[in-house]
Amino acid sequence: WEEGEALIARAQSYNPAQPAWCHRASFWKLFQRGDYQAALAFMQRHGAGSGDYSTAIMRAAVLGQLGQTSPAREALQESFRLR
């Protein structure tokens, strides 16, 4: 994770206005480590929560891990609509 994250940060430094999907690896690193609150905050900070199937899945996963079942269910339903 550390080597990959360093490579991603280097690539992002060339274009600081990259789209939200460029931040997914950093989100999954936090999620994989069990830092769900930080993963959710990261998603919200980088706008990775709107408009496509995979971000809806990410939101559902992290909200479910945080015990926020109703918002997680809504995010999952959103993913079904966007699929």
Side-chain angles (χ1 to χ4, degrees):
W1 285 105
E2 286 73 25
E3 182 181 354
E5 188 174 28
L7 290 170
I8 289 168
R10 182 174 166 211
Q12 289 173 340
S13 73
Y14 294 119
N15 178 12
Q18 68 280 124
W21 60 262
C22 290
H23 299 287
R24 288 183 184 155
S26 296
F27 165 85
W28 286 116
K29 177 194 73 163
L30 293 167
F31 186 92
Q32 180 265 340
R33 289 183 178 167
D35 197 350
Y36 306 120
Q37 194 61 49
L40 179 60
F42 185 88
M43 252 186 115
Q44 293 167 338
R45 189 171 55 250
H46 290 285
S50 59
D52 73 60
Y53 167 77
S54 61
T55 55
I57 290 291
M58 292 163 59
R59 194 168 54 257
V62 75
L63 290 170
Q65 288 296 327
L66 289 169
Q68 299 179 25
T69 55
S70 183
R73 200 172 290 115
E74 291 171 17
L76 188 58
Q77 291 300 318
E78 179 185 358
S79 75
F80 294 152
R81 285 191 300 277
L82 295 170
R83 185 172 54 151

